[in-house]
Amino acid sequence: MTTQQLVDQIRSKKSFLCIGLDVDLDKIPEHLLEEEDPVFAFNKAIIDATHHLAVAYKPNTAFYEAYGIKGWQALRKTIDYLNQNHPEIFTIADAKRGDIGNTSGMYAKAFLEDLAFDSVTVAPYMGKDSVEPFLAYEDKHTILLALTSNEGAFDFQTQKVDEEELYKKVLKVSKTWKNGQNLMYVVGATKTEFLAEIRRIIPESFLLVPGVGAQGGRLEEVCRYGMNRNVGLLINSSRGIIYASQEKDFARAAAEKAEELQQQMSKLL
Amino acid sequence: MTTQQLVDQIRSKKSFLCIGLDVDLDKIPEHLLEEEDPVFAFNKAIIDATHHLAVAYKPNTAFYEAYGIKGWQALRKTIDYLNQNHPEIFTIADAKRGDIGNTSGMYAKAFLEDLAFDSVTVAPYMGKDSVEPFLAYEDKHTILLALTSNEGAFDFQTQKVDEEELYKKVLKVSKTWKNGQNLMYVVGATKTEFLAEIRRIIPESFLLVPGVGAQGGRLEEVCRYGMNRNVGLLINSSRGIIYASQEKDFARAAAEKAEELQQQMSKLL
């Protein structure tokens, strides 16, 4: 998917909502556990109820790997379902991978080619040759961790390197990599005070912003400092939407929560 | 596995060799492609031929994910085969994971509990709460990326933070985390000049050292600067051993290469 197609979808749905499909069998409605594939059954119901409100879905691979081979089957069914029924929707494999060059190439093949996600999240610690194999895919996107939403972000990401924070160094250096135009960045919504400065470094790039809702970030503030002429934001909500109810009405409850956010977004566009 | 059990194994085998099981179907002997599970068939043959020479095996998950569900099945069969037949061998899931706290907990469960690896490699960029869920497992080990063997290591890892390189900050800060005694570190053999300084910061920790052989690192130099009273080194070789021959004699050829390294190691112990 091209960036323009993503922007067009945002304009037409009046939404820049990404729904995180972080499926925990301990948290989904009990009646789904009788299904042959409870994880996929849950995802399908959530997607069916919310696809008109969201522009992106983001399964975090940790939740699927935790269920072993069954988890990977559920992940494949989920991405196939999205690609077949909602090809206009932007898909994100939240995998946070990264390895030496030829090995990163294997991860890129797994997520961008075989599973056919539109994008994958990647960790920057190993530098240029660990990221460029992902960037080589045309019309696919590499979402680099810059400033994450967790407490541990202050351990290294905000430490000063050459008089500026490491995450800024990551933004500046990564821009220069081959096919750097295929980069997006993860910036946590819990760090809105950093957004204005981030926009000075990467005015055009899309930001994937987790942490609105469950983690305490605020939507309006994120938009004030983070939005650009192409919107440039994907706001992710996971638990706040998908676990809105643990009863049989879970999909309807998820849609209500998604609509609340979409309504707020439509006013901010 | 406790660190002492690993040290005992090293002393008894006179080896600190780790064999990287990075299986690429384009590189394995052609006759194996007829097997039902070529990846596992390859691994089993390599393990059968080399288990007396190596103290650790390290499948890199990228190579398994690249084959989708079949790849994950091969990974499970490989770790099960090792745990059932060679429980004394130290197993490493080279996964380079890392995410916010509760999500890292899912990865830890996947690799340390369900697949039952003795250890997993983890990326430090997201800080303390992204690593501690792995450290919580007793008698399991978290191998944190410190200074990697690739060119991209110079992009961020060797940049100065508070007048010392980022990788040193990672070593110092991570030592203070809860259950920090369960940490080991990745230090590339291509960076031997850094080893003496690394040992001043973490004198006791085990180092996993990739890059001997194919990537150009030198064994003797690594030992001179990196060895401690408990040996404290696991030297990884992947391609140099497992692809020593692409003919029917591949397992014997791999054993020969492994024995060459083991013999050199026995003299350095």
Side-chain angles (χ1 to χ4, degrees):
Chain A
M1 182 180 298
T2 64
T3 305
Q4 190 55 51
Q5 287 171 316
L6 173 59
V7 175
D8 291 346
Q9 194 200 165
I10 289 172
R11 300 281 185 211
S12 94
K13 286 184 177 166
K14 297 189 196 316
S15 168
F16 41 100
L17 176 63
C18 173
I19 296 180
L21 298 173
D22 301 349
V23 187
D24 183 338
L25 288 182
D26 293 338
K27 289 187 185 158
I28 69 174
E30 233 181 276
H31 73 279
L32 288 179
L33 300 177
E34 291 154 26
E35 298 274 341
E36 198 197 320
D37 185 339
V39 173
F40 175 66
F42 180 80
N43 283 345
K44 183 178 174 302
I46 295 285
I47 293 164
D48 288 347
T50 60
H51 65 87
H52 57 299
L53 303 164
V55 295
Y57 288 94
K58 179 177 78 62
N60 185 308
T61 54
F63 290 82
Y64 298 83
E65 290 178 26
Y67 301 120
I69 286 152
K70 280 191 179 170
W72 274 87
Q73 284 167 333
L75 181 64
R76 169 163 286 284
K77 277 193 259 179
T78 301
I79 182 65
D80 285 352
Y81 186 77
L82 280 166
N83 282 336
Q84 281 156 22
N85 297 281
H86 306 288
E88 78 288 358
I89 282 181
F90 188 72
T91 54
I92 304 167
D94 194 2
K96 300 187 176 69
R97 299 298 198 262
D99 209 305
I100 62 172
N102 61 337
T103 309
S104 265
M106 297 300 256
Y107 281 129
K109 178 180 173 294
F111 290 108
L112 300 178
E113 201 175 309
D114 296 347
L115 288 171
F117 278 93
D118 292 311
S119 67
V120 58
T121 59
V122 173
Y125 191 72
M126 293 181 70
K128 176 175 164 164
D129 61 282
S130 72
V131 182
E132 284 188 345
F134 294 95
L135 294 173
Y137 284 78
E138 205 176 338
D139 294 338
K140 300 276 182 176
H141 306 265
T142 304
I143 310 181
L144 201 63
L145 301 184
L147 185 59
T148 56
S149 58
N150 63 324
E151 198 193 318
F154 298 109
D155 285 332
F156 308 118
Q157 296 168 26
T158 56
Q159 297 293 315
K160 291 275 176 71
V161 177
D162 298 338
E163 296 178 16
E164 64 183 359
E165 293 88 344
L166 174 61
Y167 77 89
K168 289 188 190 165
K169 187 103 186 162
V170 167
L171 295 174
K172 285 184 186 173
V173 170
S174 62
K175 278 204 324 183
T176 68
W177 293 341
K178 197 174 175 190
N179 298 309
Q181 75 279 5
N182 295 336
L183 280 166
M184 298 181 173
Y185 297 92
V186 173
V187 176
T190 46
K191 312 276 191 309
T192 44
E193 65 273 29
F194 299 84
L195 271 170
E197 289 183 65
I198 288 171
R199 272 298 176 217
R200 275 196 281 279
I201 304 171
I202 43 159
E204 301 293 336
S205 308
F206 257 84
L207 306 180
L208 171 64
V209 185
V212 167
Q215 293 177 58
R218 280 155 300 182
L219 180 62
E220 269 185 53
E221 230 171 285
V222 171
C223 291
R224 187 177 317 139
Y225 298 110
M227 203 174 265
N228 65 16
R229 61 186 176 133
N230 276 329
V231 186
L233 293 172
L234 289 171
I235 304 281
N236 184 74
S237 176
S238 301
R239 288 167 278 171
I241 291 178
I242 69 175
Y243 300 132
S245 158
Q246 289 187 289
E247 307 301 323
K248 288 209 169 168
D249 69 342
F250 72 100
R252 197 185 48 76
E256 274 172 23
K257 286 286 174 195
E259 192 167 4
E260 267 175 40
L261 277 168
Q262 183 272 327
Q263 287 293 319
Q264 290 174 46
M265 288 175 177
S266 76
K267 286 176 198 147
L268 293 162
L269 279 171
Chain B
M1 182 181 295
T2 65
T3 305
Q4 190 55 50
Q5 286 171 317
L6 173 59
V7 175
D8 291 346
Q9 193 199 167
I10 290 172
R11 301 279 184 214
S12 95
K13 286 183 177 169
K14 296 190 198 314
S15 168
F16 41 100
L17 176 62
C18 173
I19 297 181
L21 299 173
D22 302 348
V23 188
D24 183 339
L25 289 181
D26 292 338
K27 289 186 184 156
I28 70 173
E30 233 181 276
H31 73 278
L32 288 179
L33 300 178
E34 292 154 26
E35 299 273 343
E36 196 197 320
D37 185 340
V39 173
F40 176 65
F42 180 81
N43 283 345
K44 182 178 175 302
I46 295 284
I47 293 164
D48 288 348
T50 60
H51 65 87
H52 57 296
L53 302 164
V55 294
Y57 289 93
K58 178 178 78 63
N60 185 308
T61 52
F63 290 82
Y64 299 82
E65 289 178 27
Y67 301 119
I69 286 153
K70 278 190 181 172
W72 274 87
Q73 283 168 334
L75 180 65
R76 169 163 286 284
K77 276 193 259 181
T78 302
I79 182 65
D80 286 352
Y81 186 78
L82 280 165
N83 281 337
Q84 280 156 24
N85 296 282
H86 306 289
E88 79 287 359
I89 283 181
F90 188 72
T91 53
I92 303 167
D94 194 1
K96 300 187 176 70
R97 298 298 197 265
D99 209 305
I100 61 171
N102 61 335
T103 310
S104 264
M106 297 300 257
Y107 281 129
K109 178 181 173 294
F111 290 108
L112 300 178
E113 200 174 309
D114 295 347
L115 289 171
F117 278 92
D118 292 311
S119 66
V120 58
T121 60
V122 172
Y125 191 72
M126 293 181 70
K128 174 174 165 165
D129 62 283
S130 72
V131 182
E132 284 188 345
F134 294 95
L135 294 172
Y137 284 78
E138 205 177 341
D139 295 337
K140 300 277 181 175
H141 306 264
T142 304
I143 311 181
L144 200 63
L145 301 184
L147 185 60
T148 57
S149 58
N150 62 323
E151 198 195 318
F154 298 109
D155 285 331
F156 308 117
Q157 296 167 26
T158 57
Q159 296 294 315
K160 290 276 176 69
V161 177
D162 299 335
E163 295 175 16
E164 64 183 359
E165 293 89 343
L166 174 61
Y167 76 90
K168 288 188 190 164
K169 187 102 187 164
V170 167
L171 296 173
K172 286 184 187 172
V173 170
S174 63
K175 276 202 327 180
T176 68
W177 293 340
K178 197 174 174 190
N179 298 310
Q181 75 280 5
N182 293 335
L183 280 166
M184 299 182 173
Y185 297 93
V186 173
V187 177
T190 46
K191 312 275 189 310
T192 44
E193 66 273 30
F194 299 83
L195 270 169
E197 288 183 67
I198 287 171
R199 273 296 177 218
R200 274 196 282 278
I201 303 171
I202 43 159
E204 301 293 338
S205 308
F206 256 83
L207 307 180
L208 172 63
V209 185
V212 166
Q215 293 179 58
R218 282 155 300 184
L219 181 62
E220 269 184 53
E221 229 172 283
V222 172
C223 292
R224 188 177 317 138
Y225 299 110
M227 202 174 266
N228 66 18
R229 61 186 176 136
N230 275 330
V231 186
L233 293 172
L234 290 171
I235 304 280
N236 185 74
S237 177
S238 302
R239 289 166 277 173
I241 291 178
I242 67 175
Y243 300 131
S245 158
Q246 289 187 287
E247 308 299 323
K248 289 210 168 170
D249 68 341
F250 72 99
R252 197 184 48 74
E256 274 172 24
K257 286 285 172 194
E259 191 165 8
E260 267 175 40
L261 276 167
Q262 183 272 326
Q263 288 293 316
Q264 290 175 48
M265 287 175 179
S266 76
K267 283 174 201 150
L268 293 162
L269 278 171

